[in-house]
Amino acid sequence: MRLEDLVGLSLEALRAHRMRYGLSALAVAVGIAAVVLMSSIGEGTRLFVMRQLSSFGTSVVGVHPGKVSTGGIPGVGGTARKLTLDDGRALRRLPGAVAAVPVSFGTALVRHEGRGRRVFVYGATCDMPAAWSMGVAAGSFLPDIEWERTSPVVVLGPRLKRELFGDLNALGQMVRIGEERYRVIGLMEPKGQFLGLDLDDAGYVPVANALRMFNRSELAEVDLLAATPEESESLAVRARALMIERHRADDVTVVTQQDGVRIVGNIMNVVTGTVTAIAAISLLVGAIGILTILWIVVQERVQEIGLVIALGGTRRTILAWFLCEAAITSAAGGVAGLIAGIGGSALLSGVVPGLEAYTPPWIVAAALVVALTVGLAAGVAPALRAARMDPVEALRAE
């Protein structure tokens, strides 16, 4: 039997039992749609976070006070040492560290002639633009002064400048941050958001001013800039060793961009594993549906099978016939699920602000292969049953 005859015969059988096969295909479609939808959102989220991390450069090593995990015996050992400016200076002297930026931040009311806006105010140093890959659009960034020295100067993000000054020139103007007066010495280039924080709607002051403004004695973090992305891992190791030596305890968290990528990857793996488990249930239901439908169909088409064998059809032909029906059913469900998954992810990313979705080609290929495999696996037993029928007994059957 030629392939086109086999496909035509299978399509005719599917049309005769379209409701049964349609429901089986629907179960496969639901499973495939769930996998494609969640995988697309997961991949879009991963790419979004990667872009966010990359926007700050690939050579930044963050040193944060505290640990993300707790160890030791409660009440024994441990340390409560803070991350200080002295720690930051010691970190800056590490081999491979091009720059170090001590950071402290909080929210404050920034006002100018009746206009006020509560925004994040970051305390940093003159090396911040290089470390965070940010540019200055006009004027200059913070002056190169001792970290303990305060200076009443501020650099505004573009959105904060627009909200306070409109189209007027802000350079040289005075603003109030809290109860203190600051002179605007620079305007930042647009940077966008980082994990939900709008860096364009912020002000930047010397770190000593920020520590005093927010009544802090501890830095929020120290960001180190490695010479190359490849050196960031070794710099992180040296930074951790130095902090253990200074604090006599491992009480800081050192994070490189590679760590961030690994964390995102682990989260996505958990999400993907959970979705795959849920989708596997739907695919299992679809496989059971195809198996059940074909088993019943074989029983109902005994005479038809006997007639095909009597006309010269081999057992291999019968086997291929029913496997073709199973493959077409599952492939139709797979294609429908693929369209629903891609369409659903596009719809969600368009409706939900900040949600991104991306369907890589390998997901499309994997979805079709899985759907086809499920259908063929479910159709093997009914197809073998049909192929092993005795033609004489089959023709005698009513």
Side-chain angles (χ1 to χ4, degrees):
M1 183 180 290
R2 296 179 303 175
L3 179 61
E4 51 267 34
D5 296 333
L6 186 66
V7 173
L9 199 60
S10 300
L11 291 175
E12 185 63 32
L14 293 178
R15 275 195 293 270
H17 304 86
R18 60 176 69 89
M19 180 61 74
R20 295 177 181 179
Y21 286 110
L23 291 175
S24 299
L26 179 61
V28 175
V30 171
I32 295 297
V35 170
V36 173
L37 176 65
M38 297 308 297
S39 298
S40 299
I41 293 176
E43 185 66 12
T45 303
R46 188 184 69 82
L47 293 176
F48 171 75
V49 174
M50 288 289 295
R51 285 198 302 273
Q52 295 278 293
L53 293 175
S54 300
S55 68
F56 276 79
T58 56
S59 306
V60 177
V61 177
V63 181
H64 305 264
K67 297 288 290 182
V68 295
S69 59
T70 303
I73 302 174
V76 179
T79 178
R81 293 200 60 173
K82 300 173 180 178
L83 190 61
T84 63
L85 291 175
D86 287 337
D87 291 329
R89 269 190 290 269
L91 289 167
R92 187 174 62 176
R93 291 191 290 269
L94 282 174
V98 177
V101 182
V103 179
S104 179
F105 61 88
T107 59
L109 181 62
V110 183
R111 293 172 293 170
H112 174 72
E113 293 184 353
R115 292 186 174 184
R117 191 167 182 82
R118 183 167 290 278
V119 297
F120 273 99
V121 175
Y122 293 88
T125 61
C126 61
D127 290 325
M128 195 203 78
W132 289 13
S133 299
M134 298 177 72
V136 179
S140 61
F141 198 67
L142 300 175
D144 185 7
I145 59 176
E146 292 295 325
W147 291 358
E148 285 83 357
R149 277 188 57 192
T150 61
S151 179
V153 294
V154 62
V155 180
L156 303 181
R159 183 177 179 186
L160 179 59
K161 181 266 174 187
R162 186 172 61 252
E163 295 293 333
L164 294 181
F165 294 93
D167 295 331
L168 300 177
N169 183 14
L171 293 178
Q173 300 295 318
M174 301 299 293
V175 297
R176 280 192 175 275
I177 304 178
E179 298 302 325
E180 298 182 351
R181 287 165 54 85
Y182 287 78
R183 183 176 299 281
V184 179
I185 61 170
L187 303 175
M188 301 300 293
E189 292 180 348
K191 184 66 175 179
Q193 295 189 353
F194 176 70
L195 300 179
L197 297 177
D198 189 353
L199 297 176
D200 295 342
D201 197 13
Y204 303 88
V205 300
V207 63
N209 291 71
L211 289 170
R212 187 179 66 185
M213 184 185 303
F214 303 118
N215 193 25
R216 306 259 173 84
S217 58
E218 179 183 21
L219 296 172
E221 62 185 82
V222 175
D223 291 330
L224 301 176
L225 180 63
T228 63
E230 291 74 21
E231 295 181 35
S232 59
E233 292 286 349
S234 58
L235 179 59
V237 173
R238 288 192 288 272
R240 180 182 299 282
L242 175 64
M243 297 310 299
I244 292 175
E245 179 184 348
R246 289 180 60 85
H247 290 189
R248 299 185 184 282
D250 187 8
D251 61 352
V252 298
T253 300
V254 182
V255 180
T256 65
Q257 191 192 38
Q258 287 76 11
D259 293 327
V261 172
R262 279 193 289 270
I263 291 172
V264 173
N266 291 336
I267 294 173
M268 290 301 106
N269 288 338
V270 172
V271 173
T272 302
T274 304
V275 171
T276 302
I278 296 173
I281 297 174
S282 298
L283 291 174
L284 179 62
V285 172
I288 294 174
I290 293 174
L291 190 150
T292 305
I293 294 301
L294 279 178
W295 196 269
I296 295 173
V297 165
V298 168
Q299 185 65 35
E300 293 177 348
R301 292 158 58 186
V302 170
Q303 285 189 326
E304 185 181 351
I305 295 170
L307 181 61
V308 171
I309 296 176
L311 292 176
T314 62
R315 297 186 185 280
R316 182 175 296 179
T317 301
I318 301 300
L319 182 67
W321 178 16
F322 282 90
L323 284 179
C324 185
E325 290 186 16
I328 292 175
T329 302
S330 59
V335 172
L338 191 60
I339 295 173
I342 295 175
S345 60
L347 180 64
L348 283 177
S349 63
V351 172
V352 180
L355 181 66
E356 295 193 17
Y358 171 69
T359 307
W362 69 265
I363 288 183
V364 176
L368 294 177
V369 169
V370 168
L372 199 58
T373 303
V374 166
L376 289 174
V380 168
L384 285 175
R385 183 189 178 204
R388 289 170 180 168
M389 282 187 176
D390 186 325
V392 177
E393 295 297 328
L395 288 172
R396 285 179 180 172
E398 294 183 359

